[in-house]
Amino acid sequence: MKNYLIIGGGSGIGKSVVQQLSKAGHKVYAASRSITGANLASGVESITFDISEELDTSRLPEHLDGLLYCPGSINLKPFNRIKPEDFQAEMDLNFMGAVKVTQAVLPLLKKAENASVVYFSTVAVQSGLPFHASIAAAKGALEGLTRSLAAEFAPKIRFNAIAPSLTDTPLAENLLSNDKKREANAERHPLKRVGTPEDIASMTTFLLSEQGSWISGQVLKVDGGMSSIKGM
Ligand SMILES: NC(=O)c1ccc[n+]([C@@H]2O[C@H](COP(=O)([O-])OP(=O)(O)OC[C@H]3O[C@@H](n4cnc5c(N)ncnc54)[C@H](OP(=O)(O)O)[C@@H]3O)[C@@H](O)[C@H]2O)c1
């Protein structure tokens, strides 16, 4: 049994990861602003936490085998309408939040035999997509952080990121709010559907577990073929 902390474990991909890890018998701590034990599997500890605050580690165990940072955004706007404060807000949520949480739990990760940290990037970092300037910039910083920390903490702690394409979660609600949008978005992907939270969670739990123990410093694309396959 391992100990995992999932920041943003009450919704979308994070919630699916919490379910998979807890079903596999691990001890899971799930944190977010509105999290309650009521919508989590039994045995999962819920911690109310906003990334603008300092993480109180007193409710965490002595060591952590894994950390997952989920908070993120989808704010798509033409570049000339993105204000400096919008860029800052994206950086705070997607990048600085991950930095602060990782620093807060580093002593606990170091106490594990081999810990694993996973962050979420987006397909829009490695593939240029219109209107994605602010999110691509913030997630690009997170990809740089991933590789840098992977080098700094090898061989003790592994750091990886996952770059999903459009996935059916509350965050993507506006992009999938009717059948027409759903079909158009499915059609854009070579595998002809958008992602499910479970598609992304399966890769996440793999990277968090021993199965991924020889993988570090990677950004894994889980995107229905979006970034690397071209249709005829
Ligand atoms: N869904 C997609 O299409 C897609 C595509 C590419 C990349 N991604 C990335 O994948 C990751 C997970 O996305 P998702 O779709 O699963 O999102 P989601 O359904 O919105 O879940 C995000 C989780 O983060 C928590 N959270 C948000 N702001 C927070 C804050 N300030 N402090 C603490 N917790 C906070 C939320 O809970 P509370 O509201 O209770 O705080 C929620 O549990 C994100 O980083 C996203 O950028 C998603």
Side-chain angles (χ1 to χ4, degrees), residues 58-71:
S58 67
R59 290 191 49 207
L60 296 175
E62 272 188 14
H63 81 269
L64 275 179
D65 299 283
L67 165 69
L68 174 66
Y69 183 83
C70 301

Side-chain angles (χ1 to χ4, degrees), residues 103-167:
Q103 286 181 336
V105 301
L106 202 50
L108 310 186
L109 293 166
K110 282 180 174 168
K111 280 187 197 148
E113 209 169 306
N114 285 111
S116 169
V117 176
V118 177
Y119 301 130
F120 285 116
S121 182
T122 163
V123 67
V125 173
Q126 299 297 331
S127 305
L129 299 177
F131 313 125
H132 283 66
S134 61
I135 187 64
K139 296 292 198 185
L142 197 56
E143 290 194 9
L145 180 78
T146 305
R147 282 186 285 266
S148 185
L149 296 185
E152 189 168 334
F153 292 98
K156 186 80 179 144
I157 310 175
R158 296 183 293 111
F159 286 83
N160 291 289
I162 294 174
S165 185
L166 188 59
T167 303

Side-chain angles (χ1 to χ4, degrees), residues 6-193:
I6 315 298
I7 306 291
S11 159
I13 299 166
K15 185 174 182 181
S16 183
V17 171
V18 169
Q19 285 164 346
Q20 291 187 9
L21 290 174
S22 118
K23 202 170 159 198
H26 299 297
K27 182 72 194 171
V28 184
Y29 299 79
S32 86
R33 293 166 301 179
S34 62
I35 208 154
T36 63
N39 60 354
L40 294 169
S42 68
V44 176
E45 299 284 333
S46 62
I47 299 174
T48 309
F49 167 63
D50 187 320
I51 58 106
S52 61
E53 299 155 5
E54 215 167 293
L55 179 67
D56 172 12
T57 55
S58 67
R59 290 191 49 207
L60 296 175
E62 272 188 14
H63 81 269
L64 275 179
D65 299 283
L67 165 69
L68 174 66
Y69 183 83
C70 301
S73 42
I74 304 183
N75 295 316
L76 309 185
K77 280 188 194 171
F79 179 59
N80 62 2
R81 283 187 29 216
I82 312 176
K83 298 185 186 128
E85 51 269 36
D86 298 331
F87 274 102
Q88 191 59 56
E90 298 275 45
M91 286 300 284
D92 288 346
L93 184 68
N94 291 277
F95 175 70
M96 278 314 300
V99 169
K100 289 193 303 185
V101 165
T102 307
Q103 286 181 336
V105 301
L106 202 50
L108 310 186
L109 293 166
K110 282 180 174 168
K111 280 187 197 148
E113 209 169 306
N114 285 111
S116 169
V117 176
V118 177
Y119 301 130
F120 285 116
S121 182
T122 163
V123 67
V125 173
Q126 299 297 331
S127 305
L129 299 177
F131 313 125
H132 283 66
S134 61
I135 187 64
K139 296 292 198 185
L142 197 56
E143 290 194 9
L145 180 78
T146 305
R147 282 186 285 266
S148 185
L149 296 185
E152 189 168 334
F153 292 98
K156 186 80 179 144
I157 310 175
R158 296 183 293 111
F159 286 83
N160 291 289
I162 294 174
S165 185
L166 188 59
T167 303
D168 191 357
T169 70
L171 185 66
E173 215 168 20
N174 283 344
L175 298 171
L176 298 170
S177 56
N178 59 47
D179 288 348
K180 206 170 158 205
K181 286 185 185 178
R182 251 172 206 282
E183 277 161 31
N185 276 307
E187 198 52 38
R188 284 194 305 124
H189 292 80
L191 297 185
K192 300 300 173 201
R193 66 175 177 86

